[in-house]
Amino acid sequence: MRKTKKTMVLITCIGFLTIISHTAATYLQPVHLDSLSYSKNIPSKISEVAKSATELLYDELDLQGKLAFEPFEKAMIGYEILEFNNKDIITIIDFTRPSTEKRMFVIDIKNKKILFNNIVSHGRNSGEKYATSFSNRHGSFQSSLGFYTTGNTYMGGNGFSLVLNGLEDGINDQAKARAVVIHGADYCSQKVINNTGRLGRSYGCPALPRELNKPIINTIKNGSMLFIYAEDKNYLANSKILKKGSETMLAQLNDKVVDDIDTTYQSY
């Protein structure tokens, strides 16, 4: 009799444990996002985050069809992580475009508008109509890519000129020593394009049309950012600024996605 009672008690306990086990399995099993009604909001939430501040600014500036997003995005990477005395103005030169096109953009970041969009010359040994070869070497007569900060103005052999300080070691840090500056030039004009099918070329300087030289220099002088871009594998692989900036922005984007998804979960 005692054995029977003990057996019944044991069976009862096993039954309770089984029920508890099944109940726990039901409520503690992993939750799949696909099974949640609010999960439909998550892709759109990620999409909103993925629409970065850079993309929004690009849209606000109405740059579509004028300046490709790639050089603008790269420029903003440096803009975000580098220090400049004047953060209101940035200048982008897009050497993926031929010298016959308006490939220099002076942008008012503060008021979100394009101040100048004009032609600009590249170095004589960088290429003919397109700039395809770049150098930081003295005597190369080639343009140098990357990030610069603008310096002081002076009157030189090419008239009113603007000093450029290269910010990338081994890429453009010899710009000042090479006398790579912004200045006006007669060979940078629509007339030359009409006659030769391309602009004249400099010794490595981003030369401007005479009539625009002074107003542009006075707008961007004394510590604003200049970024010269080309789809150059060597530059893109070796720019520490772009690498650091990309890693930082990716980390920030990941954190923002996680925070926004967490907020979505909490509000369910």
Side-chain angles (χ1 to χ4, degrees), residues 85-266:
N85 290 335
N86 181 359
K87 296 281 279 190
D88 293 342
I89 304 294
I90 67 170
T91 303
I92 302 172
I93 296 176
D94 180 11
F95 277 158
T96 65
R97 311 182 93 175
S99 64
T100 53
E101 294 184 8
K102 295 180 178 181
R103 53 186 181 171
M104 181 178 189
F105 298 79
V106 179
I107 299 171
D108 183 338
I109 293 292
K110 183 178 180 181
N111 296 303
K112 297 182 175 59
K113 61 181 180 179
I114 301 171
L115 301 179
F116 297 95
N117 178 205
N118 52 274
I119 53 178
V120 60
S121 294
H122 56 255
R124 63 188 297 178
N125 289 339
S126 281
E128 296 286 333
K129 190 174 181 178
Y130 286 87
T132 56
S133 299
F134 308 96
S135 176
N136 193 39
R137 182 172 51 84
H138 289 256
S140 66
F141 296 157
Q142 292 181 330
S143 299
S144 298
L145 301 176
F147 292 93
Y148 300 76
T149 182
T150 61
N152 59 288
T153 62
Y154 68 97
M155 290 299 295
N158 290 303
F160 191 58
S161 304
L162 176 65
V163 172
L164 298 177
N165 299 294
L167 301 177
E168 303 206 55
D169 292 344
I171 294 174
N172 63 18
D173 60 329
Q174 294 301 304
K176 188 173 183 179
R178 291 175 58 203
V180 172
V181 301
I182 291 180
H183 63 79
D186 293 331
Y187 55 75
C188 185
S189 68
Q190 186 60 49
K191 182 178 179 180
V192 172
I193 292 175
N194 295 341
N195 290 336
T196 66
R198 61 165 172 79
L199 279 186
R201 297 160 299 163
S202 67
Y203 285 172
C205 300
L208 302 177
R210 291 284 188 192
E211 68 274 13
L212 293 177
N213 183 53
K214 191 169 184 177
I216 289 178
I217 286 179
N218 282 332
T219 300
I220 69 176
K221 65 183 179 181
N222 298 330
S224 71
M225 186 190 86
L226 165 67
F227 178 59
I228 302 179
Y229 175 79
E231 292 175 344
D232 182 75
K233 292 181 180 179
N234 184 60
Y235 171 68
L236 296 175
N238 291 288
S239 173
K240 294 178 181 178
I241 293 174
L242 290 182
K243 183 177 181 182
K244 179 181 178 182
S246 296
E247 290 172 349
T248 300
M249 293 177 73
L250 181 60
Q252 292 173 345
L253 177 60
N254 288 340
D255 290 343
K256 187 75 169 68
V257 170
V258 171
D259 289 345
D260 280 13
I261 291 177
D262 284 345
T263 301
T264 303
Y265 271 70
Q266 292 166 9

